[in-house]
Amino acid sequence: MAYWLMKSEPDVFGYDDLVSNKREGWDGIRNYQARNFLREMRKGDQFIFYHSNATPPGVAGIGKIVGEAEPDPKQFDPSSKYFDPASKPTDPRWDWVTVAPVKKLRYIPLDELRTMPELVDCRLLARGNRLSVMPLTPDEFEAIVAAGSPKRRTAG
DNA sequence: GCCAACGTTGGC
DNA sequence: GCCAACGTTGGC
């Protein structure tokens, strides 16, 4: 299983919206590198749902891939902000994946993510990073999940 | 193929 | 709202 991180602006679509909707097409990816990562995603892969342009920005929960990449229908919809007049139905340029919620996490603000030693190499924290879809190593994924989960006590 | 202009992302 | 970073576009 592979692990990913995907950004969304909570004013547009946040983790709680995913919980309400149960599943959703992850639309609007208009960057080739991000699209190529979408195409590598497989059913069952899990991802960290990151809130960008939020106050503060940070991690909100865990999601999973329930439908693999297929053409994003909004690229053909002239009324959509994601309309791409250069994309042809015979040769679609942009894809989406279908996602579902797994577990809401304690909100982990960006400032806290920056203190985590497991994330020093994570592209999310690189200066000037703008990529909205990126792979995570299993260690990075697990570290984020652990940071957002209730502390476990040992018996006794 | 270079590179300046432009648009978008995203933290602050 | 500002601005740094950086991907894309388009002239040449």
Side-chain angles (χ1 to χ4, degrees), chain A residues 36 41 57 62 87 92 102 119 125 128 141-143 151:
Chain A
N36 292 341
M41 294 179 178
I62 309 170
S87 184
V102 171
L119 300 183
L125 304 182
F141 180 85
E142 293 301 334
K151 296 274 189 290

Side-chain angles (χ1 to χ4, degrees), chain A residues 41-153:
Chain A
M41 294 179 178
R42 295 296 173 258
K43 273 187 195 174
D45 285 0
Q46 295 195 45
F47 68 96
I48 296 297
F49 195 124
Y50 179 86
H51 282 183
S52 59
N53 271 322
T55 312
V59 164
I62 309 170
K64 66 181 175 186
I65 307 303
V66 297
E68 296 180 7
E70 54 192 352
D72 179 348
K74 302 205 175 174
Q75 69 195 300
F76 306 123
D77 175 2
S79 70
S80 169
K81 66 178 284 199
Y82 299 126
F83 178 60
D84 182 352
S87 184
K88 303 281 180 289
T90 51
D91 184 22
R93 182 178 288 184
W94 307 113
D95 283 2
W96 72 5
V97 294
T98 305
V99 303
V102 171
K103 187 181 167 202
K104 184 165 178 163
L105 296 174
R106 172 186 71 85
Y107 195 76
I108 313 170
L110 178 59
D111 282 350
E112 184 176 340
L113 296 171
R114 289 191 194 284
T115 69
M116 293 171 56
E118 299 89 344
L119 300 183
V120 289
D121 295 325
C122 184
R123 188 159 179 185
L124 174 70
L125 304 182
R127 184 156 168 265
N129 166 62
R130 290 167 37 196
L131 194 61
S132 61
V133 178
M134 70 189 76
L136 294 179
T137 67
D139 283 351
E140 290 166 345
F141 180 85
E142 293 301 334
I144 293 169
V145 171
S149 301
K151 296 274 189 290
R152 223 173 251 276
R153 290 169 186 277

